[in-house]
Amino acid sequence: MISFIVLLGPPGAGKGTQAKMISEKACVPHISTGDILREAVRKDSPLGREAKAVMDRGELVSDSLLVNIIIERLSRSDCANGFLLDGYPRNISQSQTLEKVCSEHNIWDKVYALEISVPDEEIVDRLKNRRSCPSCGAVYNIVSNPPKQDAACDGCSTKLQLRDDDREETVRQRLTVYHERTEPVVGYFAERKKHLVVKGEGSPENIFAAIMEKLK
Ligand code: AMP
């Protein structure tokens, strides 16, 4: 089974949900650069202070802010047998960084990109209805997967939030950035015969089953 996985797809494709399921099944760490940055913003660290305004506008933070984070994270021993990267690489330069880091660890041959593809209009609908738990990270959709109690997390009862970057105008901006900057990453992996794709529509369980087939 493929266990060095780069998850690609537009914001709201379900990468976070699938990443949790895949990393549990494959016993590999789930590394989300978006989560790392949100945590930095929450802690008001220097990284967080630099990233917040850019993230709120739906743009990409500069490559240099993430490069050391990626080098350090992929060097930890828990990545020796695999990883699930979610949200990185987001452009060609980050893809080159990833290839270099993985080549240095002699694992590039094992790395594959798995793209979850979803049409733009479906994304806008999903994200404006998405609510996240700021405490435990659980994700809901107020239409298709609402919490049991109104606006509170089922697991920890924390008040759910609409992420600043899930507002409709920001979602459209994030999609524009995705098409311009991140879609070429799909080509980067395809040219290297490292690209797998599944349709991200249907129930999370069915999408997960399709992913497992591809990773076999
Ligand atoms: P995500 O949760 O992956 O959608 O990331 C949320 C936001 O964090 C993005 O809209 C970017 O502003 C920022 N971000 C996350 N990962 C990256 C990355 N690899 N490169 C640049 N910005 C990123």
Side-chain angles (χ1 to χ4, degrees):
M1 185 182 160
I2 295 167
S3 52
F4 291 85
I5 307 155
V6 172
L7 208 49
L8 298 178
K15 296 193 296 296
T17 307
Q18 294 300 329
K20 281 202 183 72
M21 295 162 85
I22 299 166
S23 67
E24 272 165 30
K25 183 82 180 176
C27 295
V28 295
H30 170 201
I31 303 168
S32 156
T33 46
D35 284 351
I36 293 170
L37 290 168
R38 278 185 290 278
E39 175 70 5
V41 170
R42 206 180 54 75
K43 287 189 177 148
D44 199 26
S45 70
L47 169 68
R49 282 197 290 277
E50 204 164 335
K52 183 171 186 337
V54 180
M55 291 170 75
D56 286 350
R57 288 199 302 274
E59 291 165 13
L60 296 183
V61 307
S62 79
D63 295 343
S64 59
L65 276 186
L66 283 169
V67 67
N68 289 331
I69 292 174
I70 283 296
I71 291 173
E72 188 278 325
R73 187 64 191 87
L74 296 187
S75 304
R76 285 198 217 157
S77 59
D78 65 346
C79 290
N81 296 317
F83 56 65
L84 195 283
L85 257 186
D86 165 13
Y88 193 99
R90 284 286 235 279
N91 57 31
I92 294 294
S93 154
Q94 293 183 5
S95 308
Q96 290 163 338
T97 300
L98 180 69
E99 179 169 352
K100 185 165 176 283
V101 177
C102 291
S103 299
E104 282 164 11
H105 289 290
N106 294 318
I107 52 170
W108 178 244
D109 285 353
K110 301 181 196 165
V111 176
Y112 283 81
L114 175 80
E115 179 194 3
I116 304 180
S117 79
V118 180
D120 282 8
E121 283 317 306
E122 164 86 18
I123 297 287
V124 174
D125 262 6
R126 279 188 197 180
L127 288 193
K128 68 183 186 201
N129 294 327
R130 176 158 87 170
R131 296 293 179 277
S132 313
C133 175
S135 175
C136 71
V139 178
Y140 300 84
N141 181 295
I142 50 177
V143 178
S144 60
N145 174 31
K148 292 194 182 77
Q149 303 167 45
D150 202 22
C153 179
D154 290 348
C156 63
S157 301
T158 307
K159 189 172 180 299
L160 300 178
Q161 289 179 349
L162 173 67
R163 270 169 46 180
D164 285 337
D165 59 355
D166 281 347
R167 293 174 202 287
E168 184 164 344
E169 323 77 74
T170 315
V171 169
R172 292 198 183 275
Q173 168 63 13
R174 287 166 70 198
L175 281 170
T176 304
V177 170
Y178 177 76
H179 291 305
E180 286 177 11
R181 312 273 307 274
T182 309
E183 241 166 28
V185 173
V186 172
Y188 188 93
F189 281 90
E191 280 161 21
R192 288 157 179 77
K193 310 227 174 326
K194 288 175 171 290
H195 173 235
L196 309 166
V197 60
V198 294
K199 279 210 169 86
E201 290 167 280
S203 72
E205 291 73 24
N206 286 346
I207 299 168
F208 180 62
I211 289 175
M212 283 297 119
E213 271 303 304
K214 292 279 175 184
L215 295 178
K216 257 185 194 165

